[in-house]
Amino acid sequence: MASHGQRGSTRPLMRFPNFETFIERHKSATIAEFKEETRRITEFNQKAWKFRTAVLTAPSDEQPYQSHVLRVDLNVPDTEKFETGELRFVAGKKTSSWCSFRRGEEIIPLNNSWNKWTEIVVYVPPADVAKFRGSLVPLLRDASIVPEKLQNNGCIKFVEVEFHLEPSKVTMQTELQALDWLVRGIASESGSNVFSYLMEFKNPKNIVNFFDLYPQVKNLNAVPDATVRQGLKEVVGRFDQDQSKAHRALSSMPEGVAFVPGGPGAGKTSWALTIALMAQAGATPCKILYLVDINDAADDSADRMQALYNKIGLNKTAVRVPSWPGVDDEFLEDNDKGASMPKSLRKADFTQGFLSAETFFNEEGNENKALTLHQRAFQLYNSELYHTTEPAQYNEIVGALWKLNAKHGMKKDYQADIEALRKVLVPLYFHAIRDADFIATTPIAARRIRTVFRPDIVVFDECGHARELTTMTSMAFFRPKAFFFVGDHRQTEPYTEETRHMYAGQLKISTMERAEANGAAPNQLLVNHRAHGGLERLASGLFYQGRMRSDKRGNDQLFPRSVMYLRNWIKSLPGTMGDQRFKISGNMDGVPRLIIDHWGNTFRQAKDGTSSWSVAHHEFVMQQVIGLIQDTDFKQVGGSRAGTIMIISPYKAATQKYLQAIRESGLKKRRKQRILIRTVDTAQGQEADVVFLDLVRDHGTSHTDNSKRLCVSLTRARQAEIIMMSSEMVSARKGGVNTNVRSIWKLCESGEAGAIMHIQPRQADYKN
């Protein structure tokens, strides 16, 4: 096996001739990545950074057992990746004891000025609360009551904190345990068969006909409920030709596996949720585990499933299981054989989530929101308590809550009371998980529920973003009848911080990418439902071999009134240049895309720490954004709703400058809410009517020219796109990496994909 310290890269494999080769590459690189993370955390701890912190909510005198919720200004690179550890408060020479913290699960919505702050939940011992009482002043009386505006107006009390972080072994241990189970045959026979098939994507032992398992998926007339049947027919009736083809292909699934890659705006998640919905609509019970290793995407998928249930009248509940609370790494081991309750549940601490869940049911407009596990548990408890004649099942919870909140004047031991509540909540959460119809969670959190929730179908979304060992957890720990892997490796790749190990490149290859390279993903979803005006053609030619296509037909669909308005708006931009000289190349009457080329001394680049931003780009974008967002004629397609804007940049400094500018713009709140600002790495899954892409630099780099980042960036717009890109970025004289950006430039310069407006220095002798 390769040494962890070896340097130099080895070309990633798309097929593995045997298990040993797969193990050698993935295990050694995963261990090396953990060592690199440990090194970075050790370095961080040694610097003893101090962070400014505001207290959002604090326990009341009557409920001192509850946690403090803090917002911490994480102004040091990479700290946003840390999930758990210890912190202490610092005020001069005064310090508190070290307290365990976790990242917040329930984000409290505040105004944009808090965007780069991170929520932390921490239990502070009473002695330290007393010691720092003057500093631990909460901003909010109640986390469920948030004022419309909460500005940093000098009245906020801040306190400094120090962190001591520990590298989390959970991800590494889960992945390596999954690999071990699959190789040693501890996993189910079906899981081992899938693993064997995925080595070379050859010679499956079994071909599964999904329609034999769930006949109604093929023939909706087999759905017993007439209302549900009609609702499903309407949903399935909107399948495009690629989605219909992928649907028909479910009659032949090697080892019960379907790989369904797709392009942006192709409805990958919608297709997967609809297949799951059809499987659940029959007479045979069917449970769905929906895995995605991006928390926002897991939230969105669960909400969309609940909305589908409600739309077609299927009486089921989607549950979102967040990160698992209060379980140490040691409980990953499979030591629960013969136990009625798995240790992952017995040792979990659900108290804080349960105590805060009641507010959800007191708010309006939550009908199409999936329940979190805490909310589902509270719902079951509340239903049992108030809607049955003998609510004996959860009497222990009633007693524990009464004791915790009693005001009987006795000397109280809050920690003992909260521990008593923790123990009696375990059976409630067991039932909430076991009886769920649909659970959306991350692959790592799913490991905790494997002995309780037994899915019939596993859907792994955004599979192109997941590392291979993360993907393998789904087949190591569960025994479903079918696996669905959906995603797009052209837009994203698995993330790894380890770059020096000889097999680091292998960690960046997803199972989805290998499946497509080996012809195991023939049914791709490449009909783009998002873009109008031919905007999709540029990314299609660069990244999809020209196969991604629009579902729009004829000028009325390609260029509806709202798109024509934005194309005319683009044509009017030269008129905003004042006395600046400019030249137009390309086609202003074609695809609604325009490159803005500042060059010479019009291009002003600045640094903010280690990141970059362009002054000229920033000024131009903000001028257009402020004008457009206030234009009452700027509409979404269909013309009834106001249009939306997204600003994207590969550089964090640029996005922070845009956030600050929007915050200080004086725009009304409802207009600010229509402006989304994202780095390229956080833009996937988002879309807007008009997108401004700011590439910032005056020369090409591997960061700006990365094909996956550009694929994401160029596929977010529904109606129009503005790219801020200097001609010097694509010039040979500047050097650097510029293959993809040069292609974008040439296609716009020729008029095939848009147009270019070249802006020259005022003092130059320039002729149109």
Side-chain angles (χ1 to χ4, degrees):
M1 185 174 290
S3 165
H4 300 162
Q6 277 184 285
R7 297 294 177 262
S9 61
T10 298
R11 185 176 181 179
L13 293 177
M14 290 298 169
R15 292 183 182 180
F16 292 92
N18 49 54
F19 292 156
E20 290 73 21
T21 304
F22 186 90
I23 296 168
E24 176 187 7
R25 291 185 171 231
H26 284 280
K27 186 174 182 178
S28 61
T30 298
I31 293 172
E33 182 181 45
F34 178 74
K35 288 185 175 181
E36 171 62 15
E37 180 186 356
T38 302
R39 183 195 66 78
R40 290 164 65 92
I41 288 176
T42 300
E43 184 178 89
F44 171 88
N45 290 338
Q46 289 172 345
K47 291 180 179 178
W49 300 99
K50 292 182 176 62
F51 298 87
R52 191 174 62 154
T53 302
V55 180
L56 293 186
T57 62
S60 66
D61 291 337
E62 296 177 349
Q63 296 178 318
Y65 51 83
Q66 291 190 340
S67 300
H68 282 74
V69 179
L70 315 176
R71 273 266 166 89
V72 183
D73 186 5
L74 293 181
N75 52 12
V76 175
D78 298 324
T79 51
E80 68 272 11
K81 300 186 182 72
F82 301 138
E83 296 293 331
T84 59
E86 293 181 320
L87 66 79
R88 67 178 179 181
F89 298 99
V90 180
K93 295 183 178 181
K94 182 172 64 174
T95 61
S96 72
S97 56
W98 288 100
C99 313
S100 296
F101 77 86
R102 61 174 173 81
R103 296 289 280 270
E105 294 174 4
E106 297 81 27
I107 300 301
I108 299 175
L110 301 179
N111 67 312
N112 284 339
S113 65
W114 296 81
N115 271 344
K116 69 175 183 176
W117 293 54
T118 294
E119 187 175 282
I120 296 291
V121 180
V122 58
Y123 177 80
V124 185
D128 288 310
V129 173
K131 190 176 182 181
F132 282 83
R133 188 173 298 278
S135 301
L136 300 182
V137 179
L139 294 175
L140 306 176
R141 175 174 55 84
D142 186 335
S144 65
I145 304 174
V146 181
E148 183 174 340
K149 290 186 178 181
L150 182 61
Q151 303 286 352
N152 181 0
N153 57 8
C155 298
I156 298 174
K157 281 190 173 292
F158 293 100
V159 62
E160 288 190 323
V161 297
E162 289 181 359
F163 287 99
H164 185 274
L165 303 171
E166 294 290 338
S168 173
K169 298 180 180 179
V170 173
T171 297
M172 180 185 70
Q173 287 184 333
T174 302
E175 290 183 342
L176 295 183
Q177 186 179 40
L179 180 62
D180 180 63
W181 281 21
L182 288 168
V183 171
R184 293 200 292 130
I186 299 175
S188 67
E189 181 181 357
S190 60
S192 297
N193 288 343
V194 173
F195 181 60
S196 297
Y197 169 67
L198 296 183
M199 292 299 98
E200 295 189 275
F201 300 93
K202 289 182 177 180
N203 306 319
K205 296 179 181 178
N206 303 287
I207 301 294
V208 174
N209 185 338
F210 193 70
F211 302 139
D212 288 343
L213 300 174
Y214 303 102
Q216 73 277 8
V217 178
K218 181 178 182 180
N219 181 7
L220 289 175
N221 289 325
V223 174
D225 186 288
T227 301
V228 173
R229 180 167 63 247
Q230 182 57 37
L232 275 173
K233 286 183 176 180
E234 293 175 5
V235 174
V236 176
R238 291 192 288 272
F239 274 0
D240 62 44
Q241 58 185 346
D242 285 1
Q243 291 170 329
S244 296
K245 183 181 177 183
H247 179 199
R248 293 191 297 270
L250 300 182
S251 62
S252 180
M253 299 171 64
E255 301 297 354
V257 171
F259 283 99
V260 187
K268 300 180 293 296
T269 298
S270 295
W271 181 87
L273 291 175
T274 301
I275 297 298
L277 192 68
M278 287 192 285
Q280 290 189 312
T284 304
C286 177
K287 293 179 178 292
I288 308 294
L289 178 62
Y290 204 95
L291 301 177
V292 55
D293 69 341
I294 305 169
N295 280 307
D296 288 346
D299 294 340
D300 177 65
S301 298
D303 289 345
R304 290 169 70 175
M305 194 62 172
Q306 188 61 56
L308 282 171
Y309 286 152
N310 296 345
K311 182 176 182 179
I312 71 168
L314 192 60
N315 185 24
K316 294 189 182 295
T317 302
V319 177
R320 169 73 169 99
V321 175
S323 57
W324 199 256
V327 182
D328 296 330
D329 293 349
E330 63 180 287
F331 301 124
L332 276 171
E333 294 304 318
D334 184 39
N335 50 11
D336 294 328
K337 292 181 179 179
S340 59
M341 193 74 66
K343 189 174 287 188
S344 61
L345 269 174
R346 298 200 308 272
K347 297 294 184 180
D349 184 359
F350 299 111
T351 54
Q352 296 296 329
F354 182 78
L355 291 169
S356 64
E358 183 177 8
T359 57
F360 178 87
F361 298 99
N362 295 328
E363 299 171 359
E364 296 182 359
N366 285 328
E367 295 80 8
N368 287 333
K369 293 282 290 182
L371 300 180
T372 67
L373 177 59
H374 302 303
Q375 291 159 359
R376 177 57 175 162
F378 184 87
Q379 185 185 58
L380 290 175
Y381 164 76
N382 197 54
S383 177
E384 178 81 11
L385 196 62
Y386 294 107
H387 299 288
T388 62
T389 57
E390 297 181 1
Q393 185 173 8
Y394 301 129
N395 270 350
E396 288 183 316
I397 299 176
V398 177
L401 286 172
W402 179 86
K403 187 176 181 182
L404 189 65
N405 294 304
K407 302 176 182 178
H408 42 64
M410 297 173 59
K411 185 177 181 181
K412 295 179 65 64
D413 185 344
Y414 283 111
Q415 287 306 295
D417 291 345
I418 203 77
E419 174 62 17
L421 176 62
R422 186 195 69 77
K423 289 181 179 179
V424 298
L425 283 176
V426 169
L428 173 64
Y429 277 77
F430 176 85
H431 295 143
I433 296 168
R434 184 196 62 186
D435 299 336
D437 304 303
F438 176 101
I439 286 181
T441 189
T442 63
I444 303 305
R447 167 66 178 84
R448 309 296 196 185
I449 64 174
R450 69 172 189 84
T451 60
V452 182
F453 186 69
R454 303 184 185 278
D456 299 287
I457 297 171
V458 170
V459 179
F460 202 125
D461 202 353
E462 299 293 354
C463 187
H465 183 269
R467 300 198 311 192
E468 287 236 55
L469 290 189
T470 302
T471 305
M472 300 300 168
T473 61
S474 63
M475 59 199 70
F477 301 137
F478 298 95
R479 304 183 178 191
K481 300 171 184 176
F483 293 92
F484 291 86
F485 297 102
V486 296
D488 186 6
H489 70 271
R490 299 175 184 87
Q491 292 185 74
T492 57
E493 63 185 6
Y495 176 78
T496 175
E497 292 185 356
E498 173 56 66
T499 58
R500 298 175 298 170
H501 189 271
M502 65 184 299
Y503 295 140
Q506 193 71 58
L507 294 185
K508 291 191 173 185
I509 303 297
S510 66
T511 307
M512 176 66 80
E513 184 169 359
R514 290 203 304 113
E516 187 173 343
N518 287 285
N523 299 297
Q524 302 192 40
L525 309 184
L526 292 173
V527 177
N528 187 305
H529 299 270
R530 176 182 299 155
H532 290 76
L535 284 169
E536 81 288 341
R537 297 171 193 160
L538 179 60
S540 179
L542 290 176
F543 311 118
Y544 293 90
Q545 297 80 48
R547 296 172 60 198
M548 184 170 69
R549 59 209 185 277
S550 174
D551 65 336
K552 315 298 185 293
R553 297 291 179 267
N555 281 337
D556 289 345
Q557 290 186 354
L558 277 171
F559 294 96
R561 180 178 299 179
S562 57
V563 177
M564 291 297 294
Y565 183 83
L566 287 170
R567 191 167 70 175
N568 289 333
W569 167 75
I570 288 176
K571 292 169 68 174
S572 73
L573 290 182
T576 66
M577 292 296 99
D579 62 345
Q580 286 184 293
R581 299 179 183 273
F582 61 86
K583 183 176 76 171
I584 302 296
S585 58
N587 182 11
M588 297 283 276
D589 290 311
V591 177
R593 177 184 289 111
L594 182 66
I595 292 177
I596 306 296
D597 167 31
H598 287 86
W599 67 280
N601 63 8
T602 69
F603 186 89
R604 289 168 288 158
Q605 187 173 298
K607 299 283 283 187
D608 187 351
T610 59
S611 191
S612 301
W613 66 290
S614 167
V615 180
H617 290 183
H618 180 89
E619 291 174 351
F620 180 88
V621 169
M622 287 309 305
Q623 178 186 359
Q624 308 312 323
V625 166
I626 297 298
L628 187 60
I629 206 69
Q630 298 181 94
D631 184 347
T632 56
D633 292 323
F634 169 40
K635 300 289 187 180
Q636 297 183 27
V637 174
S640 60
R641 301 177 65 182
T644 59
I645 295 173
M646 186 188 309
I647 305 172
I648 306 175
S649 177
Y651 295 97
K652 186 174 290 186
T655 59
Q656 292 298 328
K657 293 293 182 183
Y658 286 122
L659 282 168
Q660 181 180 357
I662 295 299
R663 183 168 64 246
E664 299 171 354
S665 64
L667 289 170
K668 294 181 179 179
K669 180 180 178 180
R670 58 184 176 82
R671 286 175 172 157
K672 289 181 181 179
Q673 290 173 338
R674 291 161 46 208
I675 303 170
L676 186 63
I677 299 171
R678 288 284 188 270
T679 61
V680 174
D681 293 331
T682 62
Q684 187 170 6
Q686 307 293 331
E687 59 183 82
D689 293 288
V690 176
V691 169
F692 291 83
L693 171 60
D694 183 358
L695 294 179
V696 173
R697 303 298 292 274
D698 62 351
H699 63 280
T701 68
S702 59
H703 193 59
T704 55
D705 203 60
N706 181 279
S707 63
K708 297 180 188 292
R709 289 194 176 98
L710 284 173
C711 186
V712 171
S713 304
L714 296 171
T715 52
R716 303 301 100 196
R718 290 192 288 260
Q719 301 190 69
E721 189 173 78
I722 306 295
I723 304 174
M724 309 300 296
M725 178 168 63
S726 169
S727 57
E728 297 181 67
M729 177 177 273
V730 299
S731 69
R733 180 175 60 83
K734 275 286 182 181
V737 181
N738 54 17
T739 302
N740 289 310
V741 293
R742 182 179 291 153
S743 297
I744 295 169
W745 181 275
K746 288 183 177 179
L747 288 167
C748 289
E749 188 175 43
S750 70
E752 183 178 343
I756 303 176
M757 181 166 69
H758 310 267
I759 302 173
Q760 278 212 255
R762 288 183 176 87
Q763 69 271 28
D765 181 17
Y766 187 80
K767 296 180 180 179
N768 276 323

